[in-house]
Amino acid sequence: MAKLLLDFFSQFPLKVKGENCINSEGKIFCSRCAEVCPHSAISFNDNHPRVDTQKCTVCGLCFSECPVNVFEIEVDLTEFYKNKTPLRVGCFLSENQPDVKVPCLGMLNEELLASLALHAGEVYLDTSACHLCPQGEIYNRIKEYIERANLLLHYHRARSEVKEGYPPEGDDDFLKELLGEEKDLKKPTVSKRINVPLWRQLFFEKVKLLKAEELCHQPVKEERLRFARPLVNPQRCQSSGVCSFWCPTHALSSDGGVLYFTQILCTDCGLCQEVCPNGAITLEKG
């Protein structure tokens, strides 16, 4: 696996931006990256993650799970937003000829997949090589991401879908008829100025293009997705602004004791709930 990656990259393609990590020198608030790594390649130094390049296979699960943009893989995912219907995505071991390739399908979490589906109409993940892969346990995570992506699309009333396998012959014409005449679709842009993960930025860039009148505006409680909102207990809150000060994506901000929340920026990292000195904040999944 490592040799295969070196054929595609001149240097190790996974970068760690430890300054973005929500952990402090005194406490580990989040260990999702280490928990999800199938090869125990991630450990903590001064409570910030470090990657053992001898163990890492660049499966991308740390990138998919980190809520604050610590991990970066040197693949330009915006190049995947092609004028292609349907879009076929595979890994470097894929037996077929996909439209785009990634080091591992594990780096495509539900928001990345949903944004690709919003762009292309249908996305097919070529998992034909997963049974050959030495890190085959990642396949279960890939199936979970597909399920969550379709949940997101369902809640946004989008006529798009993520599927496993390869599209049958003749599907292209059917989908073009379903989606209607499309304008030239521009690839989405991402910002280096905000500490919101790439997958969240790409997802909302595509959601913004949906027709407002077709969206569902009912609140949805969904434990499996990375959306939450803070519920503040006014009897406990002292309006100290600690939560907004530590919020890594600036989803929380405060002004004169008033707390403002921007859900598009919230990645459910849970730091606001952890740092509140009076336990005034609880995160409600939804």
Side-chain angles (χ1 to χ4, degrees), residues 15-51:
K15 306 298 181 187
V16 181
K17 298 181 287 185
E19 67 275 10
N20 289 345
C21 185
I22 64 174
N23 295 332
S24 67
E25 291 185 9
K27 186 174 181 180
I28 292 181
F29 293 104
C30 177
S31 58
R32 293 185 203 179
C33 54
E35 291 168 7
V36 79
C37 179
H39 304 292
S40 301
I42 297 177
S43 58
F44 291 95
N45 183 19
D46 290 330
N47 290 344
H48 287 172
R50 60 178 295 274
V51 175

Side-chain angles (χ1 to χ4, degrees), residues 5 15 117 207 229 237:
L5 286 169
K15 306 298 181 187
V207 167
R229 64 190 185 100
C237 180

Side-chain angles (χ1 to χ4, degrees), residues 184-281:
D184 284 340
L185 297 171
K186 295 181 180 179
K187 68 178 185 179
T189 56
V190 294
S191 172
K192 298 287 186 182
R193 293 177 299 164
I194 56 175
N195 188 30
V196 178
L198 178 64
W199 38 263
R200 175 58 54 92
Q201 291 193 49
L202 292 173
F203 176 66
F204 275 105
E205 278 294 305
K206 284 298 161 189
V207 167
K208 285 191 297 186
L209 300 179
L210 296 176
K211 294 179 181 177
E213 62 271 19
E214 294 180 2
L215 292 175
C216 177
H217 294 284
Q218 297 300 316
V220 175
K221 290 188 177 181
E222 180 54 74
E223 291 289 334
R224 288 167 289 180
L225 300 178
R226 307 161 197 264
F227 294 87
R229 64 190 185 100
L231 299 179
V232 180
N233 184 335
Q235 274 72 47
R236 291 190 171 188
C237 180
Q238 294 182 337
S239 302
S240 63
V242 171
C243 53
S244 58
F245 177 81
W246 286 107
C247 179
T249 62
H250 302 296
L252 286 173
S253 59
S254 58
D255 180 21
V258 179
L259 191 64
Y260 298 97
F261 174 61
T262 307
Q263 188 166 38
I264 192 171
L265 298 177
C266 177
T267 56
D268 189 26
C269 72
L271 187 59
C272 58
Q273 183 173 293
E274 290 283 347
V275 300
C276 180
N278 301 300
I281 291 183

